[in-house]
Amino acid sequence: DARLLQDALQDVEGAWSKGSARHTDGSCKACHYMHTSKGCQNGADCQFCHIPHTNSNHTKVSASKRQHCKLVVDALWGKYKDDLDMYKRVGHIISSR
C-alpha cells in the first residue's frame, strides 16, 4: 500500500515524503511545517508525513490544509478517473489516518 500511495502522490508537489511511507500502517507523524507559509523545507526527504491527516477533535480545518487536501484529491482523480475501484482504494488508504 505504501508503494501505491507513493505512485499516486509523487507527482503532486509537496504531497509525498519519506515519512509518508508509514501512513499506511499508522505509524507516521504529520509534518507540522506543511501548512506554514514557507511549507516544509525538507520536501521529499522529510521524515514526517505529508499526506493530509484528519483529526476528529477539530471542528474547523485551516484554509491551507483544505487546499492541500484538494490538491491530493485532484491528483488522485487525474490519475485514477478511469479506474474508480483504484481511486476508492487509494482514497480509503489516505483517509485512514
Side-chain angles (χ1 to χ4, degrees):
D1 285 345
R3 188 74 177 138
L4 180 66
L5 280 182
Q6 182 177 6
D7 182 53
L9 298 175
Q10 67 186 358
D11 295 333
V12 181
E13 184 177 345
W16 183 258
S17 65
K18 288 180 179 178
S20 299
R22 295 187 301 272
H23 190 85
T24 57
D25 67 14
S27 66
C28 64
K29 293 187 183 204
C31 176
H32 296 287
Y33 296 102
M34 279 296 301
H35 306 291
T36 63
S37 60
K38 292 184 180 181
C40 179
Q41 301 300 303
N42 294 321
D45 290 329
C46 183
Q47 297 301 312
F48 294 93
C49 187
H50 285 190
I51 296 173
H53 285 224
T54 57
N55 185 338
S56 60
N57 295 331
H58 293 126
T59 56
K60 186 173 180 182
V61 178
S62 71
S64 64
K65 287 183 182 180
R66 287 193 308 271
Q67 181 62 28
H68 184 68
C69 288
K70 184 176 178 349
L71 286 173
V72 169
V73 169
D74 288 348
L76 292 179
W77 181 250
K79 189 165 190 95
Y80 298 116
K81 65 184 172 197
D82 296 327
D83 186 351
L84 294 181
D85 288 333
M86 185 62 78
Y87 178 76
K88 289 177 185 178
R89 181 176 175 203
V90 173
H92 178 71
I93 293 168
I94 288 174
S95 64
S96 66
R97 291 276 324 222

